[in-house]
């Protein structure tokens, strides 16, 4: 745990906590999985992107453990499931899935919301961790609607996004993964789909701790981010940051990390010291401010936030950060332009974009 005290109020400040599981936790026995693979069959997936998605899913279902279950869903104009419900990953069901996946063709539109509902809104097997993997380029025109649907329907699922193709919608894919307490990965045209999927399966098969929560005890903390903690995996630390005030409470205390390890509820105490005179780490306030801005922006995708621009702008200005509503302006004071009036300069535009329809010239 690292802290930075407020220069104006030494009894308050910011803290950051990084949770890093040891490598030895890779050897823990894992809980059976409920895997859902949702494949985009819209027209933009035609060719290499869909071929990559098929290869990745076929590798995954042939490398699941017998006690795991799986489902495959294709979505385009509508969503269609392979099985009525997730089935055991045994030889017979995998053999049934392979030709179904091979027969998929990319000729439809992209109704991601239908794919989300089909992937999330069905009874959950409480004995298994549910991982929903979306394989798509994310080319849709209703990002906000999709994120609202995901936030509403998520339930116990963890969302992992696989962007396929050379120009994926990274905003959508990364926000889906973030809202879904998962992660995003990308399958480029030259990537080995099996290798990317193998890395993914290796990571999710052995989570170090799931269902994370923090108990701050008698410490007075506010504005803690992220508000919803993702699962903790070996090789993928979780960073938490927030504000604190002493308020007469002892500065030396404990934070209790709670969660599930290998199917058992566990609680791990971590000693912290917010006392004045403890080592101060400049920069923690900026870490907190960046995460607060990110949280506000993420929440705005699925809920109305009063005076959102002003909130983000104020945090950015207080901490000298770039945001959607603030910018850094560089002024060259080493030389003075000649003449007594301004000079018009041609502004470059991207290749294929017409200058006269993109840049407005003042008379």
């Amino acid at each position: 745990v690292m802290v930075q005290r407020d220069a104006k109020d030494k009894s308050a400040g910011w803290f950051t906590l990084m949770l890093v599981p040891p490598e030895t936790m890779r050897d823990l026995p894992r809980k059976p999985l409920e895997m859902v693979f949702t494949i985009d069959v819209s027209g933009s997936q035609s060719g290499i992107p869909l071929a990559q998605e098929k290869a990745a899913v076929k590798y995954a279902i042939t490398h699941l453990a017998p006690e795991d279950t799986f489902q495959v869903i294709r979505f385009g104009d509508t969503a269609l499931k392979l099985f009525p419900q997730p089935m055991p990953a045994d030889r017979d069901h995998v053999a049934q899935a392979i030709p179904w996946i091979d027969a998929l063709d990319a000729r439809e539109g992209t109704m991601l919301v239908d794919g989300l509902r089909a992937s999330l809104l069905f009874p959950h097997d409480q004995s298994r961790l549910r991982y929903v993997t979306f394989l798509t380029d994310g080319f849709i025109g209703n990002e906000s609607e999709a994120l609202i649907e995901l936030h509403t329907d998520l339930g116990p699922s963890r969302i992992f996004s696989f962007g396929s193709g050379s120009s994926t919608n990274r905003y959508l894919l990364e926000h889906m993964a973030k809202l879904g307490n998962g992660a995003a990965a990308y399958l480029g045209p030259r990537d080995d789909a099996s290798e990317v999927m193998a890395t993914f399966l290796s990571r999710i098969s052995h989570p170090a701790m799931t269902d994370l929560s923090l108990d701050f005890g008698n410490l007075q903390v506010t504005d803690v981010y992220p508000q919803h903690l993702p699962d903790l995996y070996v090789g993928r630390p979780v960073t938490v940051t927030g504000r604190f005030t002493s308020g007469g409470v002892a500065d030396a205390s404990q934070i209790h990390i709670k969660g599930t390890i290998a199917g058992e509820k566990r609680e791990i105490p971590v000693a912290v010291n917010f006392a004045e005179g403890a080592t101060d780490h400049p920069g923690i306030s900026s870490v907190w401010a960046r995460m607060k801005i990110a949280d506000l922006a993420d929440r705005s995708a699925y809920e109305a936030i009063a005076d959102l621009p002003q909130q983000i702008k104020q945090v950015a200005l207080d901490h000298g950060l770039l945001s959607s509503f603030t910018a850094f302006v560089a002024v060259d004071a080493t030389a003075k332009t000649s003449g007594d009036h301004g000079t018009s300069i041609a502004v470059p535009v991207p290749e294929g974009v017409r200058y006269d329809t993109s840049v407005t010239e003042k008379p």
Side-chain angles (χ1 to χ4, degrees):
V1 178
M2 295 187 293
V3 301
Q4 177 186 353
R5 305 197 75 83
D6 193 329
K8 298 178 181 179
D9 181 4
K10 293 297 184 180
S11 67
W14 302 265
F15 73 91
T16 186
L17 167 68
M18 181 174 286
L19 309 178
V20 184
E23 284 287 335
T24 53
M25 298 192 78
R26 289 186 186 274
D27 300 326
L28 289 173
R30 74 167 174 86
K31 193 175 183 180
L33 305 178
E34 182 180 71
M35 301 293 301
V36 180
F37 301 97
T38 306
I39 304 174
D40 184 354
V41 294
S42 61
S44 61
Q45 295 290 97
S46 180
I48 293 177
L50 183 57
Q52 291 282 72
E53 293 177 2
K54 291 181 179 181
V57 174
K58 287 191 293 184
Y59 177 90
I61 64 176
T62 55
H63 287 78
L64 294 176
E67 62 270 18
D68 297 332
T69 60
F70 77 100
Q71 172 70 284
V72 184
I73 299 171
R74 46 126 285 179
F75 75 95
D77 294 330
T78 58
L80 179 65
K81 298 180 180 179
L82 169 60
F83 302 117
Q85 66 274 332
M87 302 301 289
D90 55 31
R91 181 178 300 177
D92 290 341
H93 289 105
V94 170
Q96 187 177 343
I98 296 295
W100 193 88
I101 295 169
D102 284 334
L104 294 178
D105 197 6
R107 295 178 180 271
E108 303 182 14
T110 314
M111 295 300 294
L112 177 57
V113 170
D114 288 347
L116 285 165
R117 289 170 180 162
S119 304
L120 301 173
L121 295 179
F122 62 91
H124 173 54
D125 183 346
Q126 299 293 334
S127 66
R128 291 176 167 84
L129 294 173
R130 177 188 289 178
Y131 292 102
V132 179
T133 303
F134 284 90
L135 299 99
T136 176
D137 54 20
F139 287 171
I140 64 172
N142 57 340
E143 293 172 345
S144 180
E145 183 183 351
L147 293 175
I148 291 172
E149 191 71 35
L150 173 58
H151 175 72
T152 303
D153 299 341
L154 181 63
S157 302
R158 279 81 167 168
I159 303 296
F160 289 81
S161 305
F162 276 76
S164 56
S166 58
S167 54
T168 55
N169 183 346
R170 290 186 175 238
Y171 168 83
L172 176 64
L173 295 172
E174 290 176 6
H175 275 69
M176 286 177 61
K178 191 171 183 180
L179 285 177
N181 298 320
Y186 297 94
L187 279 170
R190 296 180 179 84
D191 290 336
D192 185 330
S194 297
E195 184 177 322
V196 174
M197 183 57 75
T199 300
F200 164 66
L201 290 176
S202 175
R203 173 172 292 177
I204 68 169
S205 293
H206 299 282
M209 182 178 283
T210 61
D211 306 316
L212 258 68
S213 66
L214 296 177
D215 180 357
F216 291 94
N218 59 358
L219 294 170
Q220 297 185 14
V221 301
T222 59
D223 290 330
V224 177
Y225 303 104
Q227 294 187 344
H228 302 288
L229 298 179
D231 293 338
L232 183 62
Y233 297 92
V234 175
R236 184 180 167 217
V238 171
T239 300
V240 181
T241 184
R243 303 202 64 170
F244 71 87
T245 57
S246 295
V249 178
D251 291 312
S253 188
Q254 286 185 334
I255 294 174
H256 291 265
I257 304 168
K258 299 180 179 180
T260 302
I261 300 177
E264 297 183 1
K265 296 291 185 181
R266 296 284 298 273
E267 183 172 324
I268 302 173
V270 177
V272 297
N273 184 9
F274 291 171
E276 188 173 351
T279 302
D280 200 55
H281 296 272
I284 300 302
S285 61
S286 294
V287 173
W288 171 84
R290 290 181 188 278
M291 294 188 72
K292 180 177 177 67
I293 290 172
D295 179 78
L296 286 168
D298 290 342
R299 286 168 47 208
S300 69
Y302 56 84
E303 69 176 80
I305 301 177
D307 65 347
L308 173 71
Q310 183 56 39
Q311 288 192 56
I312 292 179
K313 187 189 303 181
Q314 193 59 57
V315 175
L317 291 174
D318 289 345
H319 296 269
L321 298 176
L322 183 69
S323 74
S324 301
F325 304 99
T326 55
F328 295 118
V329 179
V331 179
D332 185 1
T334 60
K336 183 182 293 185
T337 56
S338 60
D340 57 0
H341 60 277
T343 302
S344 295
I345 299 175
V347 178
V349 295
E351 182 180 358
V353 176
R354 290 178 57 186
Y355 185 90
D356 58 338
T357 59
S358 303
V359 178
T360 301
E361 295 184 359
K362 293 183 178 180

